[in-house]
Amino acid sequence: MTFLRRGTVYTLAVLACLLATATLLGAQAPAKRRPRASTARPTTAAPASAAAKASAPAATTPAAPTGPAVAVNGIAVETTARALQPGEVVLFHVTTPPDATEVSITAFAHTAPAYRLDDGAWRAIVGVDLDTKPGAHPVTVTASRRGAKQSVTGELTVLAKTFRTRTLKVNPALVEPPPEALERIKRENEKTSGIYRTPQPFVVPAGYVRFIRPVAEPANSAFGTRSVFNGKPGSPHTGADFLSGTGTPIKSPTAGHVRLAQDLYFSGNTVIVDHGLGLFSMFAHLSAFEVREGDIVKEGDVVGLVGATGRATGPHLHWSLRANGARVDPLSLLSVFGSEAAASENLTPLTLR
Ligand SMILES: [Zn+2]
């Protein structure tokens, strides 16, 4: 779309969410990632379901291991993912001896807690950060049994992905905050970083978890897009933008604690829901709040209404997702976890040692 303002033409290739500019000021700094393992050896690959083919970014996928997962020390692991690429979530399915009391997955320098299903199997969500280098990354699965810890290791092979770059000429006031706003921005960044550093325990009974769309409208594929605003490179856009009109109710994709409901400089009226499991949803640009900090929400509870507050050029819902420190595409979570069926299909065994 094109905007005409005082003789200047501002061209926006897509509905522009200007949250990508936040890192110009050091916000949302990418987490330090473990360097690529020197003994790169592909052991897993993304499954290619019809749905994944339709929505996942193109990639050359190495052959996936076939057959049942082989247990080592009584532990067997399978994964489900839309693609094994930066910005994607990977769902881990872990089976352990029945007396296991706690299970966790350590990958990409973070540890993700697992939760138990009714049948005794465990699940955990691991995020592959936007800036993860392609190659083999070690994964450790740890189970606590009778007071002792047992670990097995494997590797996840992350494939390369090139995110789109767009060049935008926009109203400078939207991307360059005035000096008097810098103190406020710094304070807000510290608050949100503090929230992401202190995940809360899982709040819903384990056994069944799914994630629903927060709004019905379609989302664009702007996740990871790197923008050059007025000739200056910005940081990547770390969310999905849903093309919803002002006033559309935004539903919590699953249960969680409301950790923030506040007007922020860049993202406007913003709600952060901590779902437990190291998973956080951030909803931006709301026209109104329907929750307060400290509230506990269930799947489908309305957290706020769509708007265009903060640095947005028009009404839309910006949804960002953090999975154990990684910035991931919320659409990848919906793809693997939108229903129990999807979460149980396309299992790829992880080779353990
Ligand atoms: Zn956005």
Side-chain angles (χ1 to χ4, degrees), residues 84-167:
L84 266 173
Q85 286 182 300
E88 300 286 316
V89 296
V90 182
L91 176 59
F92 275 74
H93 306 248
V94 182
T95 45
T96 63
D99 58 357
T101 51
E102 204 178 312
V103 172
S104 64
I105 315 281
T106 302
F108 309 108
H110 283 272
T111 297
Y115 62 93
R116 194 169 210 155
L117 300 175
D118 293 338
D119 64 2
W122 298 78
R123 277 194 185 154
I125 298 164
V126 170
V128 183
D129 187 76
L130 186 66
D131 281 340
T132 303
K133 298 275 175 285
H137 294 262
V139 176
T140 303
V141 179
T142 305
S144 298
R145 296 176 62 201
R146 299 173 203 155
K149 289 192 177 200
Q150 266 185 341
S151 290
V152 291
T153 59
E155 283 172 351
L156 276 184
T157 299
V158 175
L159 303 174
K161 178 168 178 183
T162 307
F163 292 101
R164 215 156 50 92
T165 298
R166 60 182 182 174
T167 305

Side-chain angles (χ1 to χ4, degrees), residues 15-20 222 237-241 284-285 316-320:
L15 173 68
C17 177
L18 302 174
L19 289 183
H237 179 257
T238 57
D241 292 335
H285 310 309
H316 70 282
L317 170 65
H318 171 101
W319 177 22
S320 284

Side-chain angles (χ1 to χ4, degrees), residues 114-118 125 200-211 252-257 273-277 279 296-301 337:
Y115 62 93
R116 194 169 210 155
L117 300 175
D118 293 338
I125 298 164
Q200 300 297 300
F202 201 26
V203 292
V204 292
Y208 178 67
V209 187
R210 66 167 184 174
F211 296 85
S252 184
T254 196
H257 296 264
V273 180
D274 180 346
H275 301 299
L277 304 172
L279 208 67
I296 292 198
V297 291
K298 302 185 302 295
E299 174 195 304
D301 283 353
F337 229 137

Side-chain angles (χ1 to χ4, degrees), residues 16-86:
C17 177
L18 302 174
L19 289 183
T21 58
T23 38
L24 289 171
L25 295 142
Q28 302 173 7
K32 282 269 181 292
R33 293 288 149 199
R34 188 175 291 187
R36 177 180 175 160
S38 54
T39 52
R41 184 165 54 84
T43 53
T44 62
S49 68
K53 273 178 190 158
S55 54
T60 310
T61 308
T66 52
V70 177
V72 172
N73 294 338
I75 300 172
V77 182
E78 291 170 298
T79 61
T80 309
R82 183 174 69 168
L84 266 173
Q85 286 182 300

